[in-house]
Each structure stands twice: as C-alpha cells, then as structure tokens.
Amino acid sequence: EPEVTQTPSHQVTQMGQEVILRCVPISNHLYFYWYRQILGQKVEFLVSFYNNEISEKSEIFDDQFSVERPDGSNFTLKIRSTKLEDSAMYFCASKKESYEQYFGPGTRLTVT
Amino acid sequence: AQTVTQSQPEMSVQEAETVTLSCTYDTSESDYYLFWYKQPPSRQMILVIRQEAYKQQNATENRFSVNFQKAAKSFSLKISDSQLGDAAMYFCALTSGSRLTFGEGTQLTVNP
C-alpha cells in the first residue's frame, strides 16, 4: 500500500540554522500539507499546497517558513533561521481528491 | 473558523470493556468530514475512522464506531472490546476541504 514518507526521522540543529524537512507524498496525490505538533500539544496546520503554489497558510507559517515541490516527487518545508520554539514534530500529509489526508511518520525537529 | 474540542484529557478502560471518547466541534460549513486519529508513542498519525457530514448513518470500523449528532455538533468514538494495543492518544479532527483542525486529544490507557 502506498504511503507518505518523511526524512529525516529526527533532526537536531542549532538555533539560527536553516533546516529542510523532506516528504515524498503518495504518487498520484494532488494536495500536500505540513502540520506541526509541539510535544504534549495538539496538531496544528501550517500550510497547504496545490498546483505548485500555496493554497492556504496559517498564522504560524510566517516568513521564516517556505515550501517547495522541487521535482515530481518531493515536497519540502524549509525553516530559514530556527528558533527554540520551532522544536516539534512535523508531519507531512497528502490527499488525492477526497477529504482523507494520509500522514507521514513525522520528523522530530530539536533546536538547541 | 472551525474549532474542535475534546474535553477529556485522559480516559482509562479495562481490557475487553467499552469506552467512549467525546468530541464537539463548530463549523459554519454545511459540507465537512470528521475523523478520529490514533497517535501511539511512536507519534505516527493513524486514521481510525471517518464520517461524512451528509451521511446520517454512523460510521463503523470493526471495534470502532462513532455517534455522530449533527445538530448537537457532537462526534464521539466508541471502542468496543478494548485491547492493550488501543492505548494511545486519540485526536478528533474536522475538515471542510482543506486544512484539518484537530482537538486537544484524549490519552487512553487500557488496563489489563
């Protein structure tokens, strides 16, 4: 069964550094999402992406964040200058046409 | 704006017994979907069950069923014959086509 994959599973970075989180959505899916979950809190929407552009973003998704689909398979989330409060689990999700989003296993980002 | 509320931060159940997790929501949309996701300690988001708002019949998936009360904006999850593997954080979520909005989660403990 096809699944969403994410790399790395765990990323440790120093404050101020740039990080790129990578996702490979399910191949025939058209809509892509990033969510984050700070430890012990609920999952929060960051951004949605469709037809090679951002379709919606939350107030969390400020100028420090960007997304890209550099080729036909990868979907990336870049954080330009990480802060301590960016430490969280980041989930990628994708969907075809229906309402059902399929989640990847997540990348745990630790900013020190 | 959409909101999802889970008022039970923690629940516990004896193995083989039944437990019900509560969720209420608010949306101004007429067309939406509701989901329950399970998050074990690995933090993977696993879809448990979904409900289309236009369907009156409650969804069921093996031991999992929902009680969808559209007028009351309530969407509870019933787990029958609870198993040790059901122990996890459970999130209720809502979408009307784009972003998923999650509740705060309910930590379910299953006692042997």
Side-chain angles (χ1 to χ4, degrees), chain B:
Chain B
Q2 299 177 149
T3 60
V4 177
T5 303
Q6 293 177 249
S7 57
Q8 306 156 316
E10 297 176 352
M11 291 283 283
S12 63
V13 63
Q14 290 296 125
E15 199 175 359
E17 297 294 306
T18 296
V19 64
T20 299
L21 309 184
S22 301
C23 172
T24 58
Y25 63 93
D26 194 22
T27 179
S28 57
E29 302 289 336
S30 57
D31 188 19
Y32 55 90
Y33 277 53
L34 293 156
F35 302 90
W36 278 97
Y37 282 89
K38 172 185 177 181
Q39 188 179 47
S42 66
R43 299 187 74 183
Q44 168 88 52
M45 296 293 286
I46 302 166
L47 178 66
V48 175
I49 197 165
R50 71 171 184 178
Q51 174 78 45
E52 297 89 335
Y54 64 85
K55 287 188 178 178
Q56 292 190 343
Q57 187 172 6
N58 290 323
T60 62
E61 283 288 340
N62 301 312
R63 297 182 296 107
F64 298 87
S65 61
V66 299
N67 184 4
F68 175 47
Q69 301 288 327
K70 191 171 183 178
K73 293 186 177 175
S74 168
F75 181 62
S76 60
L77 174 70
K78 185 170 86 170
I79 306 174
S80 304
D81 185 26
S82 297
Q83 299 176 359
L84 294 177
D86 295 334
M89 181 72 91
Y90 286 82
F91 290 99
C92 178
L94 163 71
T95 183
S96 53
S98 184
R99 68 166 76 185
L100 276 166
T101 300
F102 287 85
E104 302 88 344
T106 297
Q107 181 68 51
L108 178 66
T109 301
V110 181
N111 300 311

Side-chain angles (χ1 to χ4, degrees), chain A residues 11 15 36 59 73 81 84 102:
Chain A
Q11 173 93 47
M15 200 165 49
R36 81 170 185 192
E59 56 281 357
S73 58
S81 177
L84 294 176
Y102 293 80

Side-chain angles (χ1 to χ4, degrees), chain A residues 35 37 56 91 95 99 101, chain B residues 31 39 97-100:
Chain A
Y35 294 84
Q37 184 186 29
E56 187 183 1
F91 292 101
K95 71 172 188 179
Y99 288 78
Q101 295 181 25
Chain B
D31 188 19
Q39 188 179 47
S98 184
R99 68 166 76 185
L100 276 166

